[in-house]
């Protein structure tokens, strides 16, 4: 799948089957996180917490039956770190799409995390719910006018 087809195929899925994603797919998704641009190169300010334990997932809210949840946590997050967390999670979501794994970027699942999930000194910022789906993840038609755009061109010299 070429890059733009992957982008057009990526969408939020909120229902998952019971099967876990493969180790290979998880490795690919995690590797995509390491490729994300992070403000000022501060990769050490982030940690990824992969939750696959069914008991822990049951305690979390709004995971919609995901079999894997990857939490992006940051140390003392400032505005730049929230933006960087967004690039990390979107890279992982695009990689998941390329692996035909369903995903949904999620913040609601972070509301009532069980104690001990997040390492000391870190705060959860965003997470990615992952799982198998019967839905086809293939390119869709995109309305190129969904987001209003403005172009400011240089003024012509007289």
């Amino acid at each position: 799948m070429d890059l733009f087809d992957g982008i057009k195929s990526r969408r939020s899925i909120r229902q998952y089957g019971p099967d876990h994603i493969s180790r290979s797919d998880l490795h690919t998704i995690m590797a995509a996180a390491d490729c994300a641009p992070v403000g000022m190169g501060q990769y050490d300010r982030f940690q990824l917490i992969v939750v696959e334990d069914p008991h822990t997932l049951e305690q979390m809210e709004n995971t919609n039956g995901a079999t894997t949840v990857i939490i992006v946590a940051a140390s003392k997050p400032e505005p730049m770190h929230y933006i960087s967390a967004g690039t990390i999670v979107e890279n992982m979501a695009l990689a998941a799409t390329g692996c035909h794994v369903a995903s949904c970027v999620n913040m609601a699942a972070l509301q009532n995390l069980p104690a001990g999930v997040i390492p000391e000194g870190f705060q959860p910022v965003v997470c990615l719910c992952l799982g198998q789906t019967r839905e086809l993840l293939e390119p869709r038609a995109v309305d190129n006018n969904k987001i209003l755009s403005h172009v400011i061109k240089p003024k012509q010299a007289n």
Side-chain angles (χ1 to χ4, degrees), residues 39 42 45-46 74-86 125:
Q42 295 179 345
R45 297 280 297 265
F46 294 92
S75 172
K76 299 177 187 166
E78 298 169 11
M80 176 182 69
H81 300 109
Y82 287 94
I83 294 167
S84 294
V125 176

Side-chain angles (χ1 to χ4, degrees), residues 32-34 36-38 46 48 72 83-93:
D34 288 327
V38 169
F46 294 92
L48 302 176
V72 180
I83 294 167
S84 294
T87 66
I88 293 167
V89 79
E90 187 61 17
N91 263 26
M92 292 191 297

Side-chain angles (χ1 to χ4, degrees), residues 47 49-51 56 59 71 112-120 122:
Q47 289 193 17
I49 298 93
V50 180
V51 180
T56 304
Q59 294 178 63
I71 300 168
N112 294 311
L113 289 173
V117 171
I118 304 300
E120 189 173 328
F122 283 79

Side-chain angles (χ1 to χ4, degrees), residues 48-63:
L48 302 176
I49 298 93
V50 180
V51 180
E52 294 183 311
D53 173 56
H55 180 68
T56 304
L57 289 169
E58 284 174 15
Q59 294 178 63
M60 295 171 66
E61 294 180 22
N62 303 305
T63 60

Side-chain angles (χ1 to χ4, degrees), residues 3 17 23 34 38 49 65 71 75 87 98-99 101 126 128 133 138:
L3 177 61
R23 296 290 98 196
D34 288 327
V38 169
I49 298 93
I71 300 168
S75 172
T87 66
C99 294
V101 171
V126 66
L128 185 66
T133 183
E138 49 188 35

Side-chain angles (χ1 to χ4, degrees), residues 61-64 89 104-110 125-129:
E61 294 180 22
N62 303 305
T63 60
N64 302 310
V89 79
C104 184
V105 176
N106 188 322
M107 292 179 76
L110 302 176
V125 176
V126 66
C127 69
L128 185 66
C129 295

